[in-house]
Amino acid sequence: MSVLENWDQWKNFLGDRLNQGESQGLDEGAINSLAFEIGDYLAQSVDPKNEQQRVLSDLWSVASEQEKHAIASVMVKLVENNGTSQ
């Protein structure tokens, strides 16, 4: 099963990447920018694998640039404590 197919595994994966970025010295702005780029890539290139990803994809498709940055920022907040690497 791909990490993209299970919402909890996806959040843990993102949380782990967030923790890695923070441990390598990325600041909040850089992390949010990276989250935006990942969100944009996923929206354009990856078919949602579960209901939660479908909702995010649908929101992303109608959001303004500013709203997309807000969605990315909220996703960062969502996964901040979900990663297994502390």
Side-chain angles (χ1 to χ4, degrees):
M1 176 186 299
S2 165
V3 71
L4 291 173
E5 293 177 24
N6 180 285
W7 180 247
D8 287 328
Q9 287 179 341
W10 174 239
K11 288 190 309 182
N12 285 334
F13 173 80
L14 291 176
D16 290 346
R17 302 298 79 75
L18 172 67
N19 288 332
Q20 286 177 350
E22 289 174 340
S23 70
Q24 294 177 0
L26 290 178
D27 64 18
E28 184 178 344
I31 289 171
N32 286 336
S33 292
L34 186 56
F36 172 82
E37 290 178 29
I38 291 168
D40 206 43
Y41 168 79
L42 291 172
Q44 293 178 26
S45 305
V46 178
D47 186 43
K49 304 294 186 209
N50 56 53
E51 293 174 10
Q52 296 89 342
Q53 290 174 2
R54 172 62 60 199
V55 169
L56 285 172
S57 177
D58 289 348
L59 289 172
W60 197 272
S61 72
V62 298
S64 68
E65 190 81 5
Q66 181 179 4
E67 291 165 333
K68 288 177 183 178
H69 281 279
I71 293 168
S73 178
V74 170
M75 280 301 298
V76 168
K77 287 181 181 182
L78 178 66
V79 302
E80 277 180 329
N81 297 314
N82 285 347
T84 53
S85 298
Q86 299 291 330

